[in-house]
Amino acid sequence: MKYLSLFLLLAACAQAPQKDRSIMTKPFGNYDNKAVTEYTISNQHGMQLSVINYGGAVTRLVVPDRNGKPGDVVAGFDSLEGYLQKGNPYFGALVGRYANRIRQAKFTLDGQPFQLAANDHGNSLHGGNKGFDKVFWEITKLPGDSSLLLKYKSPDGEEGYPGNMDMEVVYTLTNDNQWKIEYKATTDKPTPVNLTQHAYFNLSAGTDPTILEHQLQIEANGYTPVDSTLIPLGRVDSVTAPLDFRTAKPIGRDLAQVPGGYDHNWVLNKTTAALQKAATLTHAASGRSMEVWTTEPGLQFYSGNFLDGTLTNTKNGAAYNKHAALCLEAQHFPDSPNQPSFPGTIIRPGETYSQTTIYKFITIQ
Ligand code: BGC
């Protein structure tokens, strides 16, 4: 009888489903007197997503190529020192309270003027001097071992923005190879909010030094033209070459015709806040392809124009020269608080800001 129970127990163990999901943790230094941890979510198909508390930054995104060979498709640093360096161009970070630019770093809300830090040619960029990319996010593992919850409380007046804002971001790595980002925010005073993820992708995973041969398609008939400091002029123009990505084309094809490189907000072909496909990025040589799905009205495509090879502590000593990687930032339009014709970005007490963006990976033959 004793042996029978042992046998049954062993048989049950053998049949128990193998645990196919896990979240591993690793110390990643200290920031603000708090321990920074790197959390790594793995899925059944060899994908891995690593995240740290500092800036909620994604440090690694491992995606198999068409032959199943894994490769890390995001730019990053090999230590916290790398992330903390002056000039870190928001590698992998969560960006807010207002992603992108606000003209002359000011806006008026309900008749009251607000002054923000002017950190980019007199404008405010990505939340100011210490945006959400430079704060400590509390991270907890959610049940099921596929999601992480990141929380940050932005105090009233932080970087000049009104209201205490509570943020919750959930990063999920699904078993169908989606990196899903769900944002929620509430406030106790009216405030503008525009959150995004600033991962820099290069789907070659270290094989190609630039993204110029990646093919990009963007579901947009329009874009917001900008002045020399990248502030929108207030209108939406129809895309024409070189900004026409309605049909997939290599990023390098028309790049020389865009002074400074691509750094524009495309107005997505959507009329509701439903989750819709915004773009497809493909690296034919590896077979990796990535779709971007979002609830947001805009997509900033930034072709890594300011990368210049000067960053230190890069992963595996990568050079990260100009165009080494690109960003596809789902967001509201730049400078919306000063542009009454753009979709609104103000949330008020009792309302909840929410947005969802998905980077979905597939392989092509
Ligand atoms: C902006 C670029 C900026 C970069 C910072 C992008 O979101 O569009 O203009 O230089 O972030 O790394």
Side-chain angles (χ1 to χ4, degrees):
M1 189 60 198
K2 200 166 116 201
Y3 291 112
L4 181 64
S5 347
L6 186 63
F7 172 78
L8 288 175
L9 181 71
L10 287 174
C13 287
Q15 274 168 22
Q18 255 203 320
K19 192 162 152 38
D20 50 28
R21 306 303 312 257
S22 68
I23 300 180
M24 311 288 276
T25 56
K26 177 176 126 186
F28 208 77
N30 281 286
Y31 180 67
D32 260 357
N33 296 321
K34 290 184 213 125
V36 175
T37 301
E38 185 182 62
Y39 296 78
T40 298
I41 315 176
S42 303
N43 81 356
Q44 278 176 349
H45 302 293
M47 265 189 77
Q48 289 190 331
L49 177 74
S50 302
V51 182
I52 54 171
N53 306 85
Y54 180 73
V58 163
T59 51
R60 288 164 69 245
L61 179 59
V62 173
V63 182
D65 69 7
R66 72 159 67 79
N67 300 316
K69 185 169 167 245
D72 186 356
V73 299
V74 292
F77 303 102
D78 61 10
S79 62
L80 186 59
E81 287 63 47
Y83 287 89
L84 294 175
Q85 76 191 276
K86 201 171 172 297
N88 166 4
Y90 307 87
F91 272 2
L94 287 172
V95 174
R97 188 177 295 200
Y98 197 94
N100 217 311
R101 292 173 173 82
I102 295 183
R103 179 165 39 104
Q104 287 174 13
K106 53 188 180 200
F107 63 92
T108 301
L109 180 50
D110 297 339
Q112 200 189 331
F114 290 93
Q115 181 66 52
L116 309 169
N119 59 339
D120 188 76
H121 305 285
N123 303 314
S124 170
L125 175 66
H126 292 337
N129 291 324
K130 190 177 175 190
F132 296 170
D133 60 295
K134 295 180 187 66
V135 301
F136 187 96
W137 290 75
E138 297 292 342
I139 302 186
T140 43
K141 299 180 190 180
L142 293 180
D145 280 350
S146 58
S147 301
L148 294 167
L149 169 65
L150 291 84
K151 284 190 185 186
Y152 175 64
K153 281 180 187 299
S154 170
D156 188 7
E158 188 179 44
E159 296 294 314
Y161 288 95
N164 294 294
M165 209 171 86
D166 276 344
M167 251 133 352
E168 294 198 353
V169 177
V170 176
Y171 284 148
T172 301
L173 180 61
T174 70
N175 258 339
D176 56 354
N177 296 350
Q178 301 183 32
W179 167 26
K180 186 175 184 182
I181 308 154
E182 293 162 289
Y183 308 74
K184 289 223 177 318
T186 52
T187 181
D188 60 4
K189 284 184 191 163
T191 180
V193 56
N194 187 28
L195 306 179
T196 198
Q197 224 298 336
H198 214 291
Y200 282 69
F201 298 98
N202 181 326
L203 301 184
S204 79
T207 311
D208 296 3
T210 72
I211 43 74
L212 300 182
E213 284 179 17
H214 284 49
Q215 300 258 349
L216 179 64
Q217 191 245 332
I218 305 179
E219 310 279 344
N221 296 333
Y223 76 105
T224 48
V226 287
D227 69 14
S228 60
T229 67
L230 300 178
I231 292 294
L233 303 176
R235 39 171 228 268
V236 174
D237 282 0
S238 296
V239 289
T240 48
L243 296 183
D244 185 355
F245 280 92
R246 287 172 299 175
T247 305
K249 68 177 178 189
I251 290 165
R253 183 185 290 172
D254 299 332
L255 183 69
Q257 297 171 45
V258 189
Y262 292 109
D263 196 357
H264 299 76
N265 167 62
W266 271 259
V267 175
L268 297 170
N269 298 336
K270 64 206 293 268
T271 49
T272 68
L275 191 64
Q276 252 176 251
K277 184 145 70 128
T280 306
L281 179 71
T282 302
H283 180 250
S286 66
R288 291 190 188 90
S289 185
M290 179 181 89
E291 292 177 357
V292 184
W293 291 69
T294 189
T295 55
E296 295 303 275
L299 185 76
Q300 183 87 10
F301 161 40
Y302 168 58
S303 54
N305 314 321
F306 298 112
L307 297 174
D308 59 4
T310 54
L311 294 166
T312 60
N313 294 87
T314 58
K315 280 193 275 191
N316 304 316
Y320 299 142
N321 284 309
K322 195 170 184 178
H323 308 311
L326 62 84
C327 304
L328 292 169
E329 305 156 59
Q331 55 189 234
H332 268 258
F333 306 171
D335 198 32
S336 298
N338 295 311
Q339 305 274 359
S341 66
F342 288 176
T345 52
I346 307 299
I347 55 159
R348 294 177 182 276
E351 296 175 349
T352 301
Y353 162 95
S354 67
Q355 85 114 308
T356 301
T357 295
I358 293 174
Y359 297 102
K360 178 178 179 177
F361 291 86
I362 43 189
T363 44
I364 53 157
Q365 282 317 305

mmCIF file of all heavy atoms in Angstrom, residues 26 28 59-62 70-79 82-83 91 204-207 311-320:
data_model
loop_
_atom_site.group_PDB
_atom_site.id
_atom_site.type_symbol
_atom_site.label_atom_id
_atom_site.label_comp_id
_atom_site.label_asym_id
_atom_site.label_seq_id
_atom_site.Cartn_x
_atom_site.Cartn_y
_atom_site.Cartn_z
ATOM 1 N N LYS A 26 16.934 39.482 -10.173
ATOM 2 C CA LYS A 26 18.389 39.610 -10.025
ATOM 3 C C LYS A 26 18.676 41.028 -9.509
ATOM 4 O O LYS A 26 18.064 41.988 -10.003
ATOM 5 C CB LYS A 26 18.988 39.409 -11.419
ATOM 6 C CG LYS A 26 20.451 39.561 -11.566
ATOM 7 C CD LYS A 26 20.865 39.222 -13.003
ATOM 8 C CE LYS A 26 21.655 40.375 -13.565
ATOM 9 N NZ LYS A 26 21.993 40.262 -14.964
ATOM 10 N N PHE A 28 20.148 44.670 -9.188
ATOM 11 C CA PHE A 28 20.631 45.536 -10.270
ATOM 12 C C PHE A 28 21.109 46.876 -9.700
ATOM 13 O O PHE A 28 20.930 47.928 -10.307
ATOM 14 C CB PHE A 28 19.505 45.745 -11.290
ATOM 15 C CG PHE A 28 19.963 46.016 -12.698
ATOM 16 C CD1 PHE A 28 20.422 45.003 -13.531
ATOM 17 C CD2 PHE A 28 19.924 47.316 -13.220
ATOM 18 C CE1 PHE A 28 20.833 45.264 -14.832
ATOM 19 C CE2 PHE A 28 20.345 47.583 -14.534
ATOM 20 C CZ PHE A 28 20.788 46.555 -15.333
ATOM 21 N N THR A 59 15.145 46.306 -19.980
ATOM 22 C CA THR A 59 16.580 46.178 -20.205
ATOM 23 C C THR A 59 16.912 45.129 -21.274
ATOM 24 O O THR A 59 17.965 45.199 -21.897
ATOM 25 C CB THR A 59 17.286 45.784 -18.890
ATOM 26 O OG1 THR A 59 16.593 44.640 -18.352
ATOM 27 C CG2 THR A 59 17.251 46.914 -17.883
ATOM 28 N N ARG A 60 16.030 44.147 -21.433
ATOM 29 C CA ARG A 60 16.253 43.086 -22.428
ATOM 30 C C ARG A 60 14.912 42.646 -22.972
ATOM 31 O O ARG A 60 13.940 42.539 -22.230
ATOM 32 C CB ARG A 60 16.885 41.841 -21.781
ATOM 33 C CG ARG A 60 18.319 41.939 -21.374
ATOM 34 C CD ARG A 60 18.682 40.800 -20.420
ATOM 35 N NE ARG A 60 18.700 39.497 -21.068
ATOM 36 C CZ ARG A 60 17.875 38.504 -20.784
ATOM 37 N NH1 ARG A 60 16.943 38.633 -19.869
ATOM 38 N NH2 ARG A 60 17.972 37.349 -21.405
ATOM 39 N N LEU A 61 14.889 42.361 -24.261
ATOM 40 C CA LEU A 61 13.699 41.740 -24.858
ATOM 41 C C LEU A 61 14.238 40.702 -25.836
ATOM 42 O O LEU A 61 14.741 41.031 -26.908
ATOM 43 C CB LEU A 61 12.843 42.790 -25.569
ATOM 44 C CG LEU A 61 11.583 42.262 -26.245
ATOM 45 C CD1 LEU A 61 10.652 41.571 -25.263
ATOM 46 C CD2 LEU A 61 10.826 43.408 -26.916
ATOM 47 N N VAL A 62 14.197 39.464 -25.383
ATOM 48 C CA VAL A 62 14.783 38.382 -26.173
ATOM 49 C C VAL A 62 13.693 37.740 -27.032
ATOM 50 O O VAL A 62 12.640 37.351 -26.524
ATOM 51 C CB VAL A 62 15.449 37.340 -25.236
ATOM 52 C CG1 VAL A 62 15.919 36.123 -26.019
ATOM 53 C CG2 VAL A 62 16.610 37.990 -24.494
ATOM 54 N N PRO A 70 17.607 32.741 -30.205
ATOM 55 C CA PRO A 70 17.193 33.935 -29.466
ATOM 56 C C PRO A 70 18.132 35.116 -29.676
ATOM 57 O O PRO A 70 19.334 34.939 -29.878
ATOM 58 C CB PRO A 70 17.243 33.473 -28.003
ATOM 59 C CG PRO A 70 18.102 32.274 -27.971
ATOM 60 C CD PRO A 70 18.168 31.692 -29.352
ATOM 61 N N GLY A 71 17.580 36.324 -29.641
ATOM 62 C CA GLY A 71 18.410 37.524 -29.742
ATOM 63 C C GLY A 71 17.713 38.679 -29.037
ATOM 64 O O GLY A 71 16.483 38.760 -29.029
ATOM 65 N N ASP A 72 18.522 39.545 -28.455
ATOM 66 C CA ASP A 72 17.990 40.676 -27.697
ATOM 67 C C ASP A 72 17.741 41.835 -28.672
ATOM 68 O O ASP A 72 18.669 42.306 -29.332
ATOM 69 C CB ASP A 72 19.042 41.055 -26.634
ATOM 70 C CG ASP A 72 18.563 42.132 -25.687
ATOM 71 O OD1 ASP A 72 17.454 42.650 -25.872
ATOM 72 O OD2 ASP A 72 19.335 42.448 -24.755
ATOM 73 N N VAL A 73 16.491 42.289 -28.763
ATOM 74 C CA VAL A 73 16.125 43.252 -29.804
ATOM 75 C C VAL A 73 15.985 44.693 -29.299
ATOM 76 O O VAL A 73 15.497 45.548 -30.028
ATOM 77 C CB VAL A 73 14.836 42.824 -30.544
ATOM 78 C CG1 VAL A 73 15.025 41.479 -31.226
ATOM 79 C CG2 VAL A 73 13.636 42.791 -29.592
ATOM 80 N N VAL A 74 16.364 44.961 -28.031
ATOM 81 C CA VAL A 74 16.309 46.347 -27.557
ATOM 82 C C VAL A 74 17.682 46.836 -27.113
ATOM 83 O O VAL A 74 18.486 46.075 -26.578
ATOM 84 C CB VAL A 74 15.293 46.551 -26.397
ATOM 85 C CG1 VAL A 74 13.869 46.373 -26.891
ATOM 86 C CG2 VAL A 74 15.595 45.661 -25.208
ATOM 87 N N ALA A 75 17.914 48.126 -27.319
ATOM 88 C CA ALA A 75 19.168 48.738 -26.877
ATOM 89 C C ALA A 75 19.104 48.943 -25.363
ATOM 90 O O ALA A 75 18.024 49.159 -24.802
ATOM 91 C CB ALA A 75 19.364 50.078 -27.572
ATOM 92 N N GLY A 76 20.249 48.880 -24.710
ATOM 93 C CA GLY A 76 20.267 49.063 -23.261
ATOM 94 C C GLY A 76 21.680 49.042 -22.722
ATOM 95 O O GLY A 76 22.661 49.051 -23.486
ATOM 96 N N PHE A 77 21.761 49.020 -21.403
ATOM 97 C CA PHE A 77 23.049 49.049 -20.712
ATOM 98 C C PHE A 77 23.212 47.781 -19.886
ATOM 99 O O PHE A 77 22.218 47.130 -19.546
ATOM 100 C CB PHE A 77 23.115 50.277 -19.807
ATOM 101 C CG PHE A 77 22.891 51.566 -20.550
ATOM 102 C CD1 PHE A 77 21.669 52.217 -20.484
ATOM 103 C CD2 PHE A 77 23.888 52.111 -21.347
ATOM 104 C CE1 PHE A 77 21.451 53.397 -21.184
ATOM 105 C CE2 PHE A 77 23.673 53.291 -22.052
ATOM 106 C CZ PHE A 77 22.450 53.935 -21.969
ATOM 107 N N ASP A 78 24.460 47.486 -19.530
ATOM 108 C CA ASP A 78 24.676 46.243 -18.789
ATOM 109 C C ASP A 78 24.677 46.444 -17.280
ATOM 110 O O ASP A 78 24.874 45.497 -16.536
ATOM 111 C CB ASP A 78 25.959 45.547 -19.261
ATOM 112 C CG ASP A 78 27.180 46.393 -19.052
ATOM 113 O OD1 ASP A 78 27.076 47.436 -18.365
ATOM 114 O OD2 ASP A 78 28.253 46.023 -19.556
ATOM 115 N N SER A 79 24.470 47.707 -16.837
ATOM 116 C CA SER A 79 24.455 47.959 -15.394
ATOM 117 C C SER A 79 23.617 49.205 -15.131
ATOM 118 O O SER A 79 23.339 49.987 -16.054
ATOM 119 C CB SER A 79 25.878 48.215 -14.885
ATOM 120 O OG SER A 79 26.383 49.377 -15.533
ATOM 121 N N GLY A 82 24.943 52.548 -16.310
ATOM 122 C CA GLY A 82 24.629 52.898 -17.702
ATOM 123 C C GLY A 82 23.329 53.677 -17.787
ATOM 124 O O GLY A 82 23.255 54.728 -18.434
ATOM 125 N N TYR A 83 22.315 53.171 -17.092
ATOM 126 C CA TYR A 83 21.000 53.839 -17.140
ATOM 127 C C TYR A 83 21.048 55.219 -16.493
ATOM 128 O O TYR A 83 20.325 56.125 -16.891
ATOM 129 C CB TYR A 83 19.925 52.957 -16.492
ATOM 130 C CG TYR A 83 19.587 51.791 -17.402
ATOM 131 C CD1 TYR A 83 20.303 50.593 -17.315
ATOM 132 C CD2 TYR A 83 18.632 51.914 -18.403
ATOM 133 C CE1 TYR A 83 20.053 49.541 -18.182
ATOM 134 C CE2 TYR A 83 18.373 50.881 -19.282
ATOM 135 C CZ TYR A 83 19.085 49.697 -19.164
ATOM 136 O OH TYR A 83 18.845 48.680 -20.052
ATOM 137 N N PHE A 91 16.540 54.957 -22.892
ATOM 138 C CA PHE A 91 16.559 53.553 -23.319
ATOM 139 C C PHE A 91 15.535 52.732 -22.524
ATOM 140 O O PHE A 91 15.641 52.602 -21.291
ATOM 141 C CB PHE A 91 17.949 52.945 -23.107
ATOM 142 C CG PHE A 91 18.905 53.130 -24.263
ATOM 143 C CD1 PHE A 91 18.552 53.844 -25.397
ATOM 144 C CD2 PHE A 91 20.190 52.570 -24.214
ATOM 145 C CE1 PHE A 91 19.442 53.998 -26.459
ATOM 146 C CE2 PHE A 91 21.086 52.717 -25.269
ATOM 147 C CZ PHE A 91 20.704 53.444 -26.397
ATOM 148 N N SER A 204 17.501 43.013 -35.587
ATOM 149 C CA SER A 204 18.589 42.117 -36.002
ATOM 150 C C SER A 204 19.291 41.504 -34.787
ATOM 151 O O SER A 204 20.054 40.557 -34.921
ATOM 152 C CB SER A 204 19.611 42.868 -36.862
ATOM 153 O OG SER A 204 20.467 43.645 -36.052
ATOM 154 N N ALA A 205 19.034 42.094 -33.591
ATOM 155 C CA ALA A 205 19.644 41.597 -32.349
ATOM 156 C C ALA A 205 21.166 41.599 -32.432
ATOM 157 O O ALA A 205 21.817 40.596 -32.132
ATOM 158 C CB ALA A 205 19.111 40.206 -32.009
ATOM 159 N N GLY A 206 21.714 42.718 -32.868
ATOM 160 C CA GLY A 206 23.167 42.877 -32.834
ATOM 161 C C GLY A 206 23.868 42.562 -34.134
ATOM 162 O O GLY A 206 25.069 42.781 -34.268
ATOM 163 N N THR A 207 23.166 42.068 -35.121
ATOM 164 C CA THR A 207 23.816 41.732 -36.390
ATOM 165 C C THR A 207 23.993 42.986 -37.255
ATOM 166 O O THR A 207 25.071 43.204 -37.812
ATOM 167 C CB THR A 207 22.953 40.712 -37.167
ATOM 168 O OG1 THR A 207 22.623 39.673 -36.273
ATOM 169 C CG2 THR A 207 23.696 40.163 -38.346
ATOM 170 N N LEU A 311 27.656 56.736 -25.647
ATOM 171 C CA LEU A 311 27.143 56.149 -24.401
ATOM 172 C C LEU A 311 28.121 55.108 -23.864
ATOM 173 O O LEU A 311 28.778 54.402 -24.640
ATOM 174 C CB LEU A 311 25.779 55.501 -24.668
ATOM 175 C CG LEU A 311 24.663 56.490 -25.032
ATOM 176 C CD1 LEU A 311 23.461 55.754 -25.614
ATOM 177 C CD2 LEU A 311 24.265 57.324 -23.821
ATOM 178 N N THR A 312 28.197 55.029 -22.528
ATOM 179 C CA THR A 312 29.084 54.036 -21.910
ATOM 180 C C THR A 312 28.245 52.941 -21.236
ATOM 181 O O THR A 312 27.033 53.096 -21.092
ATOM 182 C CB THR A 312 29.991 54.702 -20.847
ATOM 183 O OG1 THR A 312 29.141 55.266 -19.856
ATOM 184 C CG2 THR A 312 30.852 55.784 -21.466
ATOM 185 N N ASN A 313 28.907 51.886 -20.804
ATOM 186 C CA ASN A 313 28.242 50.756 -20.130
ATOM 187 C C ASN A 313 27.139 50.132 -20.993
ATOM 188 O O ASN A 313 26.130 49.642 -20.483
ATOM 189 C CB ASN A 313 27.607 51.185 -18.788
ATOM 190 C CG ASN A 313 28.632 51.590 -17.771
ATOM 191 O OD1 ASN A 313 29.041 52.750 -17.747
ATOM 192 N ND2 ASN A 313 29.069 50.659 -16.962
ATOM 193 N N THR A 314 27.319 50.184 -22.301
ATOM 194 C CA THR A 314 26.298 49.615 -23.183
ATOM 195 C C THR A 314 26.365 48.087 -23.132
ATOM 196 O O THR A 314 27.410 47.511 -22.807
ATOM 197 C CB THR A 314 26.517 50.074 -24.631
ATOM 198 O OG1 THR A 314 27.834 49.674 -25.012
ATOM 199 C CG2 THR A 314 26.377 51.584 -24.760
ATOM 200 N N LYS A 315 25.245 47.447 -23.484
ATOM 201 C CA LYS A 315 25.210 45.980 -23.454
ATOM 202 C C LYS A 315 26.241 45.417 -24.414
ATOM 203 O O LYS A 315 26.269 45.820 -25.585
ATOM 204 C CB LYS A 315 23.819 45.487 -23.878
ATOM 205 C CG LYS A 315 22.810 45.560 -22.769
ATOM 206 C CD LYS A 315 21.564 44.779 -23.112
ATOM 207 C CE LYS A 315 20.614 45.605 -23.929
ATOM 208 N NZ LYS A 315 19.290 44.961 -24.067
ATOM 209 N N ASN A 316 27.036 44.522 -23.953
ATOM 210 C CA ASN A 316 28.098 43.890 -24.758
ATOM 211 C C ASN A 316 28.967 44.908 -25.473
ATOM 212 O O ASN A 316 29.496 44.635 -26.541
ATOM 213 C CB ASN A 316 27.490 42.945 -25.809
ATOM 214 C CG ASN A 316 26.609 41.907 -25.170
ATOM 215 O OD1 ASN A 316 26.983 41.333 -24.142
ATOM 216 N ND2 ASN A 316 25.433 41.683 -25.734
ATOM 217 N N GLY A 317 29.081 46.120 -24.907
ATOM 218 C CA GLY A 317 29.942 47.150 -25.506
ATOM 219 C C GLY A 317 29.428 47.678 -26.837
ATOM 220 O O GLY A 317 30.186 48.254 -27.629
ATOM 221 N N ALA A 318 28.126 47.534 -27.081
ATOM 222 C CA ALA A 318 27.551 47.986 -28.362
ATOM 223 C C ALA A 318 27.873 49.464 -28.604
ATOM 224 O O ALA A 318 27.928 50.257 -27.664
ATOM 225 C CB ALA A 318 26.043 47.790 -28.343
ATOM 226 N N ALA A 319 28.077 49.840 -29.867
ATOM 227 C CA ALA A 319 28.493 51.213 -30.180
ATOM 228 C C ALA A 319 27.315 52.195 -30.147
ATOM 229 O O ALA A 319 27.471 53.337 -29.765
ATOM 230 C CB ALA A 319 29.165 51.244 -31.546
ATOM 231 N N TYR A 320 26.142 51.773 -30.549
ATOM 232 C CA TYR A 320 24.968 52.647 -30.633
ATOM 233 C C TYR A 320 25.275 53.964 -31.329
ATOM 234 O O TYR A 320 25.171 55.050 -30.752
ATOM 235 C CB TYR A 320 24.333 52.886 -29.253
ATOM 236 C CG TYR A 320 23.841 51.625 -28.574
ATOM 237 C CD1 TYR A 320 23.982 51.451 -27.193
ATOM 238 C CD2 TYR A 320 23.224 50.596 -29.289
ATOM 239 C CE1 TYR A 320 23.525 50.298 -26.554
ATOM 240 C CE2 TYR A 320 22.769 49.440 -28.660
ATOM 241 C CZ TYR A 320 22.930 49.297 -27.304
ATOM 242 O OH TYR A 320 22.486 48.160 -26.680
#
